[in-house]
Amino acid sequence: MENCTETELINKARSGDGRAFAALADLHYMTVYRYAFRWCSSKEDAEDITQEVFLKLAGKIHLFSNHSRFTTWLYRITANCAKDYARKNSRWKKNKGTDISENETIASLNPGPENNVIARNILKLIDKLPDKQKEAVLLVFAEGMSHKEAAKIIGCAETTISWRIFQAKRQLNKVLS
Amino acid sequence: MNITDKDLKKAFRKQEIPNPSDTAKNTAVQNAVKEFVQLNKENTKKTKGFPEFIRRMGKTFQNLINSKGEPIMTRKQFATIGVVVITFGLFLSIGPEFLFQKTQEPIKTITKKEDLSVAKNEQNKLKPTESDHKKMNDQLAPTPQPFESKTIADSTKEIIQPEPGKHLTVSKEGNKNKRGIATGEPLATAPLAEFQFDAEDAGVRAREAAARSTVVASAHSGAPQEVFEKSAFNSVGLGHGESPPTPYYKDKGRDQFSEITPNAIKLTRDEPVSTFSVDVDTASYAFMRRQLNNGLLPQKDAVRVEELINYFDYDYPLPQAETEPFKPTVALYPTPWNTNTKLLHIGIKGYDIVPEKKPRSNLVFLLDVSGSMNSPDKLPLLKNSFSMLVESLNPDDSVAIVVYAGASGTVLEPTQVKEKSKILASLDKLKAGGSTAGGEGIRLAYSLAEMNYDENAVNRVILATDGDFNVGITNTNELKSFIERKRSTGIFLSVIGFGQGNYNDALMQTLAQNGNGNAAYIDNLNEARKVLVDEAGSTLFTIAGDVKIQIEFNPAKIYDYRLIGYETRMLKREDFKNDKVDAGDVGSGHSITAIYEITPVESPEKRIDELRYQQKTEKPKADTSKEYAFLKIRYKLPGEEKSRLITTPITSQEAFNNLEEVPSDMRFASAVAAFGQLLRNDPHTGDLTYDDIIELAEPARGRDQFGYRTEFLNLVRLAKTAKAM
């Protein structure tokens, strides 16, 4: 596998080569994890979500004919898993009785001397946005995609992305004022 | 307050993302791979049915529980959900969905939930009992059985059982069979045996990699050591102590690389000639990529700039004929990181044997299936290896299989590879054992080759054995002459050895030599791929061997030069003409790029001061004064002992005055060259930053059909924030 390009890896994995699949998972782990973290703001949750993404990938790898479809899919699935996870876990966390407030979670991750209060608040609020707006915001501002790229991942029109971002900003402004 | 885009970006930028724990990462990848292997093994998936989705959801949940050691949800919740899901799924499966189920009995119809447990038991019965397989299965969570459903009554279905060490692959036609009817075509399976065979090879593979890319295990402290020792691939599907199959450059956390001193700037008048071998791997690129993806900067010596540059495919113009199999493309353009120098860019493209013109292969596998072949590193490995070879063939190639010492005789008549599944099924059915009574193994093999003989094809018998040569001709000399006679009729012989304890190297080499073929030894699947897939291709389709490059710079035009990369490939000046000195081979369609940074004579700032006491350069010969340099390439055509020469002068015709005018491929290559040097902290790149490299490379991506160049840009971005080791 040493000299495999990613596309070769994908093709090998599609024909059942376990090592190629492992290589792909290794290659994309961080991307998925980081994006998952943006969704849930918790290391443990992000780890779980990432694991689930790759489990799903195991069953779906044969679908991909090329690299860009693959990354598009990864982003989409990660978002879905993150959303699912959030739904499940809010129930579970309540049962557990520990109130991990989002304040604490995010603050504990920005321990540096430059605690930017506004930034923290923004992140906290983004976390609470409706899923559709949150996804658009994360793809465009956290992952640095264009509206067009984000639209491709979500599967909607480019203008829809722009609209959702507009809504998100409006919501944020409303709360912060 | 009015939140702007900038605020949002800033907020995310400030968000510190903690690194995932190594265990989480390893577990995630492990479990995914297990899932992948399991799914491929089961071959239950022909249609993307809803029941399948449920089954995997169930498994997903189970794995979530297992891996964390604590429940994501309580057992009761899980059970409730499970029951709901199963009921729902049952409801749907009664519909016209078809799932193919490999069983030891004819497929039954299950419509009741209680039969689910029956199905489960059958699934359990199916598990192969060989110890290697069992290890794998023990580690997998028991899987709920996919629902067996009504099938179209078809008594001609062929049902294939999973066997240890089995490696079948779905052919494209197989995939299209959406209705999941067992048509006798085997389905995708992960090469399970592969995982364990790679087990012993930790040392071997590291040594192989070392041999290939002159790298030796070394020590360094800190995080990277952990990363590698807790490699995500440890114990995938294996028991303890066995080493993982890694896709990339493999190491155990003690990377050691030969120290590379970057090529010094050379004064043309002192050393006008530069010579090197075009032996180029791309391992360095993969290694660097892996490091950067883990947030680390690669070790300096792990970065071989020529390998980074040559990782990419460049669109140099192709040569026209195989008799002059190289076409050099040369350009001279401003150096992106230094206004006082220029880059002399040499691209060499090898003749591309057009796929239509690739000779057909007419192959006969002559396989030893005697009892001694029974160990995992013999017959199972052989089956996997040859399956790999079959996978890499073209539809109009043909394969026949003959076995000896055991159930001797023809296993498969010459069959075109477009019936790949048939060939793979035959391979799969092979079992070791039976008497060592000869049989007319070798005569049979050759007669099959003759039957299918095509003078425009490569006709070859491939003999695979662990050392037993009782192929029907007992006298060794007689065997040798037989093979020689057949060689003259155009049928060649290759010999592949497996296993140990019985291995007869001398005889193997002799036979292969007499048969105009090659002898090789396969100890693991990686080597199998190398020998039977990668090198089989290049043995058939090498366009030139021992390829060397020599450039003489004109001191009247070029004051000094520095070759970027190739530090480990340098040759002595006299090695160029010496045909006994080895160099690299070039396969069909490969391209090689080498870049020199040169200081033109007219440049105001020279990197090396002029001499005080000696005269300035003598006048060059008149008719060569316009040339910057002279390029020579030596190579040997396949089968020839004496090298041939291609030459071309490099003139101002090839010069560009602006970087913008330079073809995007070359600009991109220069960006990669810059990146490699920056990673190594080479002292020649001046103020160049990673951002500069991104700026240079981004518009030069071109079509980037497979996304490699975009990936490169991401790596540069990662390098910006990566931690040094």
Side-chain angles (χ1 to χ4, degrees):
Chain A
M1 281 312 143
E2 284 89 352
N3 298 333
C4 279
T5 59
E6 184 167 353
T7 306
E8 286 170 13
L9 282 178
I10 294 178
N11 284 329
K12 283 189 169 110
R14 289 174 68 213
S15 43
D17 186 335
R19 284 192 309 165
F21 178 82
L24 277 176
D26 195 52
L27 191 58
H28 289 277
Y29 186 90
M30 280 311 285
T31 310
V32 172
Y33 169 83
R34 291 174 68 92
Y35 184 48
F37 185 92
R38 301 276 194 199
W39 270 96
C40 64
S41 301
S42 145
K43 173 165 165 281
E44 285 73 30
D45 293 354
E47 288 170 353
D48 285 347
I49 293 169
T50 308
Q51 167 152 291
E52 189 164 353
V53 168
F54 283 113
L55 282 170
K56 292 205 158 125
L57 180 65
K60 289 274 193 278
I61 184 70
H62 60 276
L63 291 176
F64 301 107
S65 57
N66 68 43
H67 162 87
S68 76
R69 293 225 185 97
F70 179 61
T71 41
T72 302
W73 184 88
L74 269 184
Y75 274 106
R76 195 183 305 146
I77 286 299
T78 308
N80 288 345
C81 286
K83 294 181 220 166
D84 289 348
Y85 200 81
R87 251 175 279 137
K88 280 181 265 159
N89 267 23
S90 60
R91 254 181 287 139
W92 180 63
K93 275 186 185 161
K94 281 192 189 127
N95 288 343
K96 264 209 129 184
T98 54
D99 187 24
I100 306 166
S101 73
E102 280 156 38
N103 257 333
E104 280 172 50
T105 314
I106 296 174
S108 68
L109 298 164
N110 284 313
E114 292 179 318
N115 257 335
N116 187 321
V117 177
I118 296 180
R120 252 196 301 144
N121 282 339
I122 291 180
L123 289 177
K124 197 173 54 168
L125 293 171
I126 289 174
D127 199 46
K128 290 206 176 107
L129 285 173
D131 281 352
K132 290 194 171 155
Q133 293 172 22
K134 186 173 174 186
E135 190 168 6
V137 167
L138 286 186
L139 285 177
V140 171
F141 296 103
E143 295 299 310
M145 298 195 186
S146 66
H147 290 205
K148 190 168 174 195
E149 290 164 340
K152 203 167 83 144
I153 288 179
I154 292 182
C156 63
E158 193 180 338
T159 45
T160 309
I161 298 285
S162 314
W163 172 245
R164 287 185 189 164
I165 290 180
F166 167 76
Q167 286 182 303
K169 281 195 264 187
R170 195 175 54 182
Q171 175 70 13
L172 293 177
N173 282 325
K174 210 161 64 170
V175 174
L176 283 173
S177 59
Chain B
M1 158 147 202
N2 196 7
I3 294 195
T4 63
D5 285 3
K6 212 166 133 213
D7 293 323
L8 290 172
K9 283 192 193 153
K10 187 171 170 193
F12 284 112
R13 239 195 355 257
K14 284 202 176 298
Q15 184 180 37
E16 255 192 59
I17 301 182
N19 277 327
S21 70
D22 283 349
T23 16
K25 177 173 176 182
N26 294 344
T27 319
V29 177
Q30 268 184 58
N31 285 337
V33 175
K34 279 184 199 168
E35 172 82 352
F36 175 87
V37 165
Q38 177 73 359
L39 284 174
N40 278 299
K41 180 173 81 107
E42 279 175 357
N43 294 331
T44 55
K45 199 134 181 42
K46 278 284 214 186
T47 60
K48 287 119 191 88
F50 194 64
E52 171 63 13
F53 164 71
I54 291 173
R55 185 183 68 79
R56 276 193 284 110
M57 282 294 280
K59 234 194 315 167
T60 303
F61 286 134
Q62 281 197 314
N63 281 338
L64 279 178
I65 290 175
N66 288 340
S67 71
K68 277 203 79 149
E70 41 181 285
I72 302 299
M73 55 184 84
T74 66
R75 284 189 189 272
K76 205 167 157 197
Q77 287 172 322
F78 168 71
T80 317
I81 293 175
V83 167
V84 169
V85 156
I86 287 170
T87 318
F88 194 20
L90 262 177
F91 176 74
L92 286 177
S93 75
I94 291 170
E97 290 272 38
F98 293 97
L99 286 175
F100 174 53
Q101 176 58 39
K102 286 196 302 213
T103 64
Q104 291 176 333
E105 292 142 344
I107 292 177
K108 297 204 295 237
T109 300
I110 293 185
T111 54
K112 290 204 163 54
K113 209 163 93 183
E114 52 261 33
D115 286 343
L116 185 57
S117 58
V118 175
K120 269 200 184 134
N121 287 335
E122 289 182 345
Q123 167 70 351
N124 290 338
K125 279 193 230 151
L126 283 180
K127 287 185 178 150
T129 53
E130 292 232 347
S131 59
D132 39 0
H133 245 49
K134 191 158 200 291
K135 256 193 251 176
M136 175 116 208
N137 283 319
D138 285 346
Q139 291 182 11
L140 295 172
T143 61
Q145 192 47 43
F147 306 105
E148 299 180 279
S149 51
K150 284 187 274 216
T151 64
I152 290 178
D154 182 355
S155 52
T156 62
K157 284 197 288 287
E158 188 182 88
I159 295 177
I160 296 169
Q161 297 185 28
E163 277 179 3
K166 164 179 148 100
H167 173 69
L168 299 179
T169 316
V170 71
S171 59
K172 293 246 165 67
E173 293 81 48
N175 257 333
K176 290 192 186 129
N177 189 340
K178 290 245 181 335
R179 303 170 81 206
I181 302 165
T183 57
E185 291 183 338
L187 305 164
T189 252
L192 287 171
E194 171 183 351
F195 284 114
Q196 63 188 352
F197 295 135
D198 286 337
E200 294 99 25
D201 78 334
V204 173
R205 196 115 58 81
R207 270 183 273 125
E208 267 180 46
R212 270 201 290 269
S213 45
T214 69
V215 167
V216 175
S218 100
H220 64 253
S221 54
Q225 194 157 18
E226 286 171 12
V227 170
F228 289 117
E229 276 169 357
K230 293 179 195 168
S231 162
F233 310 111
N234 273 334
S235 77
V236 169
L238 307 173
H240 40 267
E242 285 159 332
S243 74
T246 37
Y248 291 123
Y249 182 83
K250 184 160 179 289
D251 57 71
K252 297 218 127 183
R254 294 172 56 81
D255 295 319
Q256 217 171 51
F257 298 91
S258 331
E259 198 182 313
I260 300 176
T261 317
N263 286 329
I265 304 174
K266 302 230 160 103
L267 269 177
T268 312
R269 57 176 291 147
D270 288 344
E271 206 178 316
V273 176
S274 175
T275 316
F276 59 96
S277 152
V278 295
D279 205 352
V280 181
D281 302 316
T282 54
S284 181
Y285 188 89
F287 183 80
M288 170 221 31
R289 175 172 58 197
R290 185 190 175 132
Q291 293 287 66
L292 287 175
N293 278 329
N294 283 326
L296 301 163
L297 283 176
Q299 247 187 329
K300 264 179 57 166
D301 293 328
V303 179
R304 286 188 290 278
V305 186
E306 77 277 8
E307 294 190 15
L308 304 194
I309 300 172
N310 281 292
Y311 181 77
F312 299 92
D313 193 33
Y314 301 108
D315 221 354
Y316 304 130
L318 285 165
Q320 296 309 314
E322 47 203 326
T323 44
E324 233 194 42
F326 296 110
K327 191 172 166 69
T329 303
V330 185
L332 191 65
Y333 52 87
T335 308
W337 56 81
N338 188 335
T339 47
N340 295 314
T341 60
K342 289 203 197 291
L343 291 185
L344 176 58
H345 183 129
I346 299 160
I348 294 171
K349 187 92 173 174
Y351 179 73
D352 200 357
I353 296 180
V354 175
E356 303 93 66
K357 287 217 208 134
K358 273 196 178 119
R360 262 195 61 236
S361 298
N362 169 28
L363 304 175
V364 179
F365 300 161
L366 176 57
L367 308 177
D368 177 358
V369 294
S370 62
S372 67
M373 290 291 285
N374 207 7
S375 66
D377 62 341
K378 296 187 187 179
L379 189 60
L381 177 57
L382 182 159
K383 282 156 69 163
N384 281 334
S385 309
F386 277 84
S387 300
M388 237 190 220
L389 170 57
V390 171
E391 281 297 347
S392 71
L393 294 173
N394 289 328
D396 63 350
D397 293 330
S398 93
V399 169
I401 305 179
V402 172
V403 296
Y404 69 92
S408 62
T410 309
V411 168
L412 183 73
E413 303 276 336
T415 306
Q416 294 224 298
V417 173
K418 64 172 179 254
E419 294 182 76
K420 199 189 302 198
S421 42
K422 202 168 155 200
I423 303 174
L424 294 174
S426 301
L427 269 177
D428 191 67
K429 281 193 229 150
L430 298 175
K431 284 192 185 0
S435 71
T436 54
E440 296 276 291
I442 197 158
R443 290 190 207 277
L444 190 49
Y446 273 97
S447 71
L448 285 177
E450 274 156 20
M451 196 169 104
N452 219 28
Y453 181 77
D454 177 356
E455 64 174 0
N456 295 317
V458 170
N459 302 283
R460 187 177 289 270
V461 172
I462 305 182
L463 166 62
T465 174
D466 70 339
D468 289 319
F469 283 92
N470 40 350
V471 289
I473 301 174
T474 41
N475 183 309
T476 310
N477 284 325
E478 220 185 289
L479 183 56
K480 280 197 246 168
S481 355
F482 174 80
I483 289 170
E484 262 171 43
R485 281 200 306 277
K486 291 301 177 182
R487 176 184 88 206
S488 60
T489 69
I491 301 174
F492 303 152
L493 176 77
S494 290
V495 187
I496 318 263
F498 287 84
Q500 57 195 35
N502 207 11
Y503 183 47
N504 190 340
D505 184 74
L507 185 54
M508 265 184 47
Q509 301 285 342
T510 315
L511 291 181
Q513 211 168 325
N514 287 2
N516 228 14
N518 46 328
Y521 179 76
I522 292 182
D523 55 342
N524 59 57
L525 211 57
N526 205 38
E527 186 63 17
R529 182 170 65 87
K530 185 166 179 284
V531 167
L532 288 175
V533 181
D534 300 346
E535 284 177 5
S538 68
T539 308
L540 294 175
F541 308 131
T542 304
I543 55 161
D546 284 344
V547 183
K548 304 168 187 164
I549 291 184
Q550 186 167 74
I551 303 185
E552 185 185 343
F553 293 95
N554 182 354
K557 306 240 9 157
I558 292 181
Y559 182 72
D560 63 40
Y561 65 89
R562 174 179 74 89
L563 175 56
I564 301 176
Y566 290 94
E567 285 88 359
T568 55
R569 323 278 179 204
M570 302 308 293
L571 294 173
K572 291 194 282 232
R573 185 168 163 184
E574 59 270 22
D575 289 342
F576 183 69
K577 248 186 146 176
N578 185 349
D579 283 350
K580 292 217 184 332
V581 172
D582 250 340
D585 291 348
V586 175
S588 154
H590 280 169
S591 73
I592 297 134
T593 301
I595 302 180
Y596 285 88
E597 186 184 0
I598 61 136
T599 305
V601 147
E602 58 271 11
S603 170
E605 279 276 323
K606 299 228 174 24
R607 297 180 287 187
I608 303 178
D609 283 340
E610 308 230 11
L611 288 173
R612 181 185 170 87
Y613 299 111
Q614 298 191 21
Q615 251 184 325
K616 293 229 192 313
T617 43
E618 306 138 20
K619 282 204 163 47
K621 301 190 198 148
D623 54 352
T624 59
S625 61
K626 292 224 167 35
E627 294 172 10
Y628 283 99
F630 196 72
L631 171 66
K632 296 197 277 198
I633 307 173
R634 274 211 178 265
Y635 63 97
K636 294 178 190 158
L637 283 179
E640 290 184 12
E641 294 297 315
K642 200 159 171 327
S643 65
R644 299 174 181 228
L645 185 64
I646 291 178
T647 65
T648 181
I650 299 169
T651 67
S652 53
Q653 270 201 313
E654 280 85 23
F656 294 89
N657 289 322
N658 290 320
L659 206 47
E660 290 76 43
E661 295 166 22
V662 176
S664 63
D665 266 354
M666 290 183 162
R667 269 181 288 134
F668 189 81
S670 70
V672 180
F675 182 59
Q677 293 174 92
L678 202 53
L679 277 180
R680 296 172 45 90
N681 267 325
D682 277 358
H684 302 294
T685 50
D687 291 330
L688 192 75
T689 63
Y690 289 115
D691 283 325
D692 295 330
I693 294 175
I694 294 176
E695 234 182 81
L696 176 61
E698 230 219 327
R701 268 181 300 169
R703 199 164 71 117
D704 197 20
Q705 190 179 11
F706 300 104
Y708 303 142
R709 299 192 181 192
T710 307
E711 181 187 56
F712 171 74
L713 289 176
N714 284 333
L715 291 178
V716 181
R717 291 187 190 109
L718 283 172
K720 275 166 64 173
T721 52
K723 296 189 178 53
M725 299 203 310

